[in-house]
Amino acid sequence: MMRRQNWILRMSTSALVAEKVWNDIESTHSVSDEQLSILHFLFGKNLERAMRIVDQRGVKRMLGHPSGRSIFQVVGESKRKEEYLCFPQHYCACYSFFYDIVNRGEQLCCKHQLAARLASSLGTCIDVKMSDHDLALMLSHL
């Protein structure tokens, strides 16, 4: 029981630190070496993979009109180049999200969530405008 409580405390602290770094990046639309170092410490190889996705322009923000609601569509790294719908802070449709985050609780988020958060914070995601109806249809397939 004590190990579980310690793990929850570490994860909560890590999430708070990450949120502070994300807010700083969002406010400047740039990332410093120190911020990258902190994010790498928190997310490890998932951050490296997310950075590759962002560098390859693999993040789209699907924007509903007129509501302004959005969801991200992030390209995977497999040869099939699957696209995963995700909310950066809450959910991703990929297998890793359910296995590593929900089931095992080993990570704070998956590489697709990190890529969406990074691209959004830096202002480098591709915005795709669509009707609220089309966005709702997209979300109904989750």
Side-chain angles (χ1 to χ4, degrees):
M1 182 67 150
M2 184 60 111
R3 288 178 69 192
R4 176 86 174 142
Q5 289 172 335
N6 287 339
W7 177 84
I8 291 170
L9 180 60
R10 279 195 316 273
M11 292 303 276
S12 299
T13 303
S14 296
L16 289 172
V17 170
E19 194 59 33
K20 169 73 170 107
V21 173
W22 288 124
N23 289 337
D24 291 345
I25 293 169
E26 286 171 5
S27 70
T28 61
H29 291 295
S30 65
V31 61
S32 69
D33 289 340
E34 180 182 357
Q35 290 165 327
L36 277 178
S37 178
I38 292 167
L39 291 174
H40 190 269
F41 177 78
L42 294 172
F43 300 111
K45 290 186 180 197
N46 274 350
L47 180 68
E48 295 168 24
R49 293 174 178 136
M51 289 173 63
R52 276 196 302 270
I53 292 169
V54 171
D55 287 344
Q56 295 170 1
R57 308 262 309 147
V59 179
K60 295 178 194 170
R61 180 173 36 210
M62 315 309 276
L63 294 165
H65 178 75
S67 70
R69 291 183 175 115
S70 65
I71 189 168
F72 290 84
Q73 191 173 47
V74 182
V75 175
E77 290 186 296
S78 71
K79 291 179 183 177
R80 292 181 292 194
K81 297 293 181 191
E82 294 174 347
E83 294 181 325
Y84 300 99
L85 294 177
C86 75
F87 295 101
Q89 295 165 308
H90 305 291
Y91 171 82
C92 183
C94 76
Y95 175 79
S96 179
F97 177 81
F98 289 101
Y99 187 71
D100 293 332
I101 291 102
V102 175
N103 187 33
R104 295 174 56 193
E106 292 182 352
Q107 300 286 328
L108 292 171
C109 59
C110 71
K111 65 185 174 190
H112 309 108
Q113 290 173 287
L114 283 171
R117 189 80 190 256
L118 186 60
S120 177
S121 297
L122 294 173
T124 61
C125 52
I126 299 165
D127 286 337
V128 177
K129 295 179 182 174
M130 59 179 42
S131 70
D132 284 332
H133 179 264
D134 289 343
L135 183 63
L137 286 175
M138 181 180 281
L139 291 171
S140 72
H141 296 290
L142 287 177

